[in-house]
C-alpha cells in the first residue's frame, strides 16, 4: 500500500452513498467491509430510504489511503458511488476547555455509538453563512462562542436519544461540516434538527445541503436488500 496520508490530529471520515449496478456482488461487498475493518477502519453500514441512494457507508480511519481502499473495494463489488462526503474529525474552537474525555471522543469517535442502541441515522452537510448582512465569519469570537454555547445547551436536552458527529470539511468538500446523527427513533432526528433551527446559530447563520436518511444494519443484512 502507498504512503500513509494522515491528519496531524484526528481521523479521516468518508461517507459513501451507493446504488447497485448489474455487476453488484453482495458477498464481495461484505468482503470489502471486512477487509477494511481488518485494516482498522470503522465502518457503519446503512440501509437507505428514498431515491438518492440504497446503501451508505460511513467509514473512519486515520489514514486516508485506507478509506480510498474501502471505496475501491465497494466499487469493484459493483456498487456505484452516487454521492459522497469527505471530512475530518475535529474539536470545535468553541469546545476548548471541555473535559479531556469529551475532546478525545470528538477526535477519536466510535461508530456506531456504543452507549445506546441507535439505529436511526441521517447525514447532511452544512455551512455557516457569509453574506453581506449575515456573516458568521465577521462576528467577533465572543459572539460566536455565546451562540455555540446556546446551541450546545439545546443539544444536550437530547442526551441518550441522539449522538452527533460534527466533522470538518472546510477546504475538503462542498460545505464546511458534515453532520451525522445516530438516534434511537427516526422522530428523534426530526425533533433535534427542528429544535436546533430555533438556535440563532442555525436560524440566522446556517445553510444546509441535501439530507440523507436510513437505518444502521449489519452489512450482511444490507446486501440482501440490494
Ligand atoms: O462538542 C460539544 O459537544 C460542545 C458543544 C457543541 C459544539 C461546540 C455542540 C453540541 N455542537 C458544537 C459544534 Mn453541535 N450540532 C450541529 C447540528 O441542524 C442544525 O441546526 C445543525 C446541525 C446538530 C443537529 C448538532 C447537535 N455543532 C457544532 C458545530 C461546529 C461549529 C464551529 O466549530 O464553528 C456545528 C456545525 C454543529 C452543528 N450539537 C451539540 C448537537 C448536539 C445534540 C449537541 C449536544 C450533545 C453533547 O453535548 O454531546
Amino acid at each position: 500500500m502507498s504512503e500513509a496520508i494522515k491528519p496531524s490530529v484526528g481521523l479521516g471520515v468518508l461517507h459513501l452513498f451507493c446504488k447497485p449496478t448489474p455487476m453488484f456482488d453482495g458477498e464481495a461487498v461484505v468482503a470489502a467491509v471486512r477487509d477494511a475493518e481488518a485494516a482498522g477502519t470503522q465502518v457503519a453500514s446503512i440501509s437507505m430510504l428514498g431515491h438518492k441512494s440504497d446503501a451508505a457507508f460511513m467509514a473512519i480511519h486515520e489514514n486516508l489511503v485506507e478509506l480510498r481502499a474501502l471505496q475501491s473495494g465497494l466499487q469493484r463489488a459493483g456498487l456505484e458511488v452516487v454521492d459522497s462526503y469527505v471530512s475530518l474529525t475535529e474539536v470545535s474552537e468553541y469546545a476548548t476547555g471541555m473535559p479531556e474525555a469529551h475532546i478525545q471522543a470528538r477526535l477519536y469517535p466510535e461508530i456506531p455509538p456504543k452507549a445506546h442502541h441507535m439505529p436511526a441515522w441521517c447525514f447532511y452537510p452544512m455551512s455557516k453563512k457569509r453574506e453581506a448582512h449575515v456573516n458568521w465569519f465577521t462576528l467577533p469570537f465572543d459572539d460566536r462562542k455565546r451562540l455555540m454555547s446556546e446551541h450546545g445547551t439545546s443539544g444536550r436536552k437530547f442526551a441518550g436519544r441522539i449522538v452527533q458527529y460534527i466533522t470538518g470539511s472546510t477546504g475538503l468538500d462542498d460545505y464546511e461540516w458534515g453532520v451525522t446523527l445516530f438516534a434511537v427513533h427516526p422522530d428523534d432526528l426530526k425533533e433535534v434538527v427542528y429544535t436546533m433551527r430555533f438556535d440563532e446559530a442555525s436560524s440566522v447563520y446556517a445553510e444546509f445541503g441535501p439530507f440523507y436518511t436510513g437505518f444502521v444494519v449489519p452489512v450482511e443484512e444490507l446486501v440482501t436488500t440490494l
Side-chain angles (χ1 to χ4, degrees), residues 90 92-95 98 102 106 124 126 128 136 148 151-152 155-156 162 164 166 177 179 181 192-193 196-197 202 208:
E90 65 176 19
S92 165
E93 62 188 295
Y94 315 106
M98 292 267 172
H102 184 106
R106 292 286 174 273
Y124 53 96
M126 69 174 286
K128 291 283 170 70
W136 178 258
M148 288 316 293
H151 162 92
R156 275 188 286 279
I162 293 280
Q164 90 283 12
I166 308 299
W177 293 276
V179 178
L181 304 176
V192 74
V193 174
M196 296 205 137
R197 289 291 159 93
S202 292
F208 301 96

Side-chain angles (χ1 to χ4, degrees), residues 29-207:
V29 169
V30 174
V33 169
R34 293 286 170 256
D35 287 351
E37 288 170 339
T41 306
Q42 299 187 62
V43 185
S45 306
I46 298 109
S47 189
M48 298 298 288
L49 294 157
H51 76 285
K52 290 178 195 148
S53 79
D54 292 300
F57 300 88
M58 177 184 183
I60 302 185
H61 198 288
E62 182 185 30
N63 183 359
L64 305 189
V65 176
E66 295 293 352
L67 296 176
R68 176 62 237 193
L70 172 64
Q71 179 173 335
S72 300
L74 293 171
Q75 287 168 322
R76 285 188 202 116
L79 286 178
E80 182 191 0
V81 178
V82 293
D83 202 355
S84 63
Y85 208 75
V86 178
S87 58
L88 300 174
T89 64
E90 65 176 19
V91 177
S92 165
E93 62 188 295
Y94 315 106
T96 50
M98 292 267 172
E100 189 56 25
H102 184 106
I103 287 174
Q104 289 304 311
R106 292 286 174 273
L107 285 176
Y108 303 101
E110 273 194 323
I111 55 159
K114 302 280 177 290
H116 303 269
H117 179 56
M118 293 184 165
W121 187 90
C122 81
F123 171 83
Y124 53 96
M126 69 174 286
S127 293
K128 291 283 170 70
K129 279 188 191 150
R130 289 180 290 121
E131 291 167 7
H133 299 290
V134 185
N135 189 335
W136 178 258
F137 295 91
T138 56
L139 283 184
F141 178 80
D142 288 348
D143 293 359
R144 284 178 279 131
K145 178 137 178 128
R146 176 177 55 76
L147 294 175
M148 288 316 293
S149 137
E150 176 195 46
H151 162 92
T153 304
S154 78
R156 275 188 286 279
K157 298 190 182 115
F158 292 85
R161 292 164 63 193
I162 293 280
V163 171
Q164 90 283 12
Y165 297 86
I166 308 299
T167 51
S169 50
T170 308
L172 305 178
D173 213 327
D174 297 344
Y175 288 78
E176 292 160 1
W177 293 276
V179 178
T180 309
L181 304 176
F182 291 81
V184 177
H185 301 293
D187 50 328
D188 297 327
L189 300 170
K190 185 158 81 69
E191 195 181 329
V192 74
V193 174
Y194 182 73
T195 302
M196 296 205 137
R197 289 291 159 93
F198 292 94
D199 299 341
E200 202 178 326
S202 292
S203 64
V204 177
Y205 293 102
E207 56 193 18

